[in-house]
Amino acid sequence: MRRRRRCRAAEALAGVLLLALCAACGSRLPESDFGGRSPSRSAAPLRVGVITSVTSPVGGDAFTGPRDGARAWFARLNARGGIDGRRVEVRECDDGGSGVGNNTCVHRLIEEDGVVALVATTALDYAGASRVSAAGVPDIGGQPIGGAYDTYPHLYGVYGSLAPRDGTTGWDGELYGGTEVYRYFKREHGARTAAVVSYNQAASAAYARLVERGLKAEGYRVVGEQVDFALPNFRAVAADLKEQGVDLVFDAIDAHGNARLCAAIDAAGARITAKVTTVQNWTSTVADDYKDAPRCRNALWATGSGRNFEDTGHDAVREFRDATEGLRTHSQWQLEGWAAAMWFTEAAQSCARDGDGVTRACVDAYMDRSDGYTADGLLLPVRFARLAEPPATRRTCLSVARWRDGRGWVAQGDMDRTCFEVPQLAYRP
């Protein structure tokens, strides 16, 4: 049976506390401008675009991981001769975390720079998504913050999609997420009581409700904890977690809030099995970020859909780490950006070999056929399908890692075998 995983859009949404995404309409750029046959040995570079919300309200380092991973891949690729003798020229654009800025980036990269594809898009407000789709430009391996990658054709999120992608988000505006994370901790660690901490902010509260529903579906006793966004009282939360005998702590708050929550948990003397975080916080900076919370820090767990970036015993991970050795920090999002760039490269190489040239249409057709892509084992198999109805259940696999001082993130089991048949729950992004 094919191994599958759940949509991660809701997790990314929670990590950055997004408001609902509203994609702007745009004009179609004629595919004929870029659909012609390219000389297979042309010296002209292949241009790809990378849109990142670098200077966003969330903070300067929140979104740069996928960009940095893609940069590293293309630098190594060019050092080895590029694609069919053509170097890849990366055109970057910082959209500032705004819809206006995102539309400006889309216009510049597609209509002025003439990129053949977008790679590793990480945008707080992907307002230009409809314009990308209308131009027939493949967007490869982007982070699904919001619903764009489950709405439009030609957009291929790094975790795949089963939605029709016909211009309406998901199925009648609803996306679906599974309960595999909660099933994992129940089965592997006997967890029975879970807390969900959120802000009194719309996106945070909405994601918290989704987590609570999933936990209840798996039979947990759920403790809801909400704090004021401006003046959060994490001490009161920590005291209640101790009183309630909570095993697991999930959250719908930002990284800074998580660090303060962990410090409060330590100060209260609460003993928890796991403080579960998302792929966005799966970084090498844990020791510094949680310096005031040694016990909680060593109870941090992360779950995702890619191989642990510290698993250097794996050949593909070791290549990624070698290529990114000069980076100040490392993260799971960097590895996923590297995988996105690898994915584009394989599509472009296929087009070059087939003799049709590396065009938008050819790369898009390759992506549309993608089924079970793993980026040499860095990702769980990615699937794109256009199902008329959402699945009631899915077999979903899971990558799990735990932080250990002195060792970093330690993988917990084999992600290709940590799999569950779980129900799918609807939510609105």
Side-chain angles (χ1 to χ4, degrees), residues 121-136:
T121 300
T122 314
L124 178 62
D125 183 353
Y126 198 176
S130 62
R131 193 171 193 165
V132 174
S133 179

Side-chain angles (χ1 to χ4, degrees), residues 200-217:
N200 60 344
Q201 189 267 357
S204 176
Y207 178 70
R209 288 193 295 270
L210 174 64
V211 174
E212 290 177 4
R213 285 178 56 212
L215 287 163
K216 289 176 181 177

Side-chain angles (χ1 to χ4, degrees), residues 268-294:
R271 300 285 181 174
I272 57 175
T273 300
K275 168 67 183 72
V276 188
T277 190
T278 62
V279 66
Q280 189 187 14
N281 296 316
W282 192 341
T283 73
S284 64
T285 63
V286 166
D288 290 332
D289 294 342
Y290 295 83
K291 62 181 182 298
D292 297 325

